[in-house]
Amino acid sequence: MNASDTAEQAHESDWLDHAIRAGLVAYGVVHLLIAWLAIQLALGEKADSASNSGAMQYLAEQPLGGVLVWLVAVGMFLLVVWRLLEFAFGYRDESDETKRWRKRATSLGKAVIYGAIGWSAVQTATGSGGGKGGGTGSTTAKLMQLPGGQLIVGAVGIAIIAYGGSLVYRGWTEKFREHLDAQGQSGTDGSAYVKLGKAGYIAKGISIALVGGLFGYAAITHDPKKSGGLDQALQTVLEQPFGQVLLIAIGLGIACYGVFCFARAKHLSR
């Protein structure tokens, strides 16, 4: 049996289901932490950043925080393995080749996202995080310096907005139901899971689209300081009329997504 056969066998194995469930629990924890920090921001507490890195830092400061951060990192990297196997061997029953490769590309993109969160957790656990001096703004500045950099930053913004919009669409149409087995969609519990998923996908999609909007604004104004991550996007929401109410609503929605991750882990369908 060659390496390819072994990897394909791993993709179909029961152990991968257990690994995915562990990863989804970790992913849910990350979203609950981000939701808590967003709500704290809305209530006037600005000590922590409402972002992936901020969530890791907040978790590290709790009792046994170092161990918990490492567990989150392991969970995220398990999800990376899943998505990479899915990219390589998944969707073979899809007859439309274009659609099949689009789904595989989506899996690869998700592997990158999970990997970034996992790497953030590792940096926090080892104390090697870059702090608040760098971040999205400095990255955008470097992109701006490239030939056609303004267009590149604008394209990144559009891609992020499109991804956020796709999450809103999946939430509104309840396409996320495919991630739950039949039991997870039926009865009182199933109804609750679907409502959590709907609120969670829509709220997460809106927050990500706001990040894309910041990139777009940075491209239009040619000012990299206008770009930002999730924390800056949520701060922008807070500065709007009724911003406190809107930010609390987004925070609660992100929390719903976190709880839905737990439901998905329990009723996994892939």
Side-chain angles (χ1 to χ4, degrees):
M1 181 179 293
N2 57 35
S4 178
D5 291 336
T6 302
E8 185 173 3
Q9 189 176 59
H11 179 249
E12 302 296 334
S13 66
D14 290 337
W15 76 260
L16 183 60
D17 285 346
H18 298 309
I20 293 169
R21 288 188 171 96
L24 287 172
V25 169
Y27 201 41
V29 169
V30 171
H31 281 81
L32 288 178
L33 290 172
I34 292 173
W36 172 245
L37 294 176
I39 293 172
Q40 289 289 93
L41 176 64
L43 297 177
E45 175 57 61
K46 301 180 181 180
D48 294 293
S49 170
S51 63
N52 293 326
S53 58
M56 293 302 100
Q57 189 60 50
Y58 181 85
L59 184 60
E61 294 168 357
Q62 307 312 306
L64 299 177
V67 175
L68 295 174
V69 171
W70 275 114
L71 289 176
V72 168
V74 170
M76 290 299 97
F77 291 134
L78 288 174
L79 291 181
V80 170
V81 172
W82 167 37
R83 292 303 188 181
L84 289 178
L85 289 172
E86 196 172 59
F87 168 71
F89 306 106
Y91 310 112
R92 292 190 172 183
D93 57 344
E94 179 60 62
S95 58
D96 187 331
E97 185 174 356
T98 301
K99 191 173 182 179
R100 179 169 66 251
W101 280 105
R102 186 171 69 246
K103 288 182 176 181
R104 286 182 171 179
T106 299
S107 295
L108 183 60
K110 290 180 178 179
V112 172
I113 293 171
Y114 298 147
I117 298 174
W119 179 242
S120 177
V122 169
Q123 286 186 307
T124 300
T126 58
S128 59
K132 297 182 180 180
T136 310
S138 60
T139 302
T140 307
K142 292 176 183 178
L143 290 175
M144 287 283 198
Q145 294 171 3
L146 298 173
Q150 194 171 0
L151 292 177
I152 294 173
V153 172
V156 169
I158 291 173
I160 295 173
I161 291 171
Y163 177 59
S166 70
L167 291 178
V168 172
Y169 173 76
R170 290 186 68 82
W172 186 259
T173 60
E174 299 182 1
K175 287 181 68 65
F176 59 83
R177 282 174 174 264
E178 65 189 10
H179 298 316
L180 300 171
D181 61 20
Q183 185 180 359
Q185 300 183 48
S186 60
T188 304
D189 288 348
S191 177
Y193 296 154
V194 170
K195 289 177 182 177
L196 286 168
K198 190 161 191 169
Y201 271 85
I202 291 174
K204 183 177 179 180
I206 290 172
S207 62
I208 289 175
L210 288 171
V211 175
L214 291 177
F215 272 83
Y217 187 55
I220 293 171
T221 60
H222 210 281
D223 184 357
K225 293 182 180 179
K226 299 296 184 182
S227 68
L230 181 59
D231 52 346
Q232 188 171 332
L234 296 180
Q235 180 64 52
T236 301
V237 172
L238 185 60
E239 294 168 356
Q240 307 311 308
F242 305 104
Q244 186 180 40
V245 175
L246 292 172
L247 185 52
I248 289 175
I250 289 175
L252 291 175
I254 293 174
C256 287
Y257 186 92
V259 177
F260 177 77
C261 287
F262 299 153
R264 186 178 174 186
K266 181 179 180 181
H267 299 283
L268 180 65
S269 176
R270 66 180 180 98

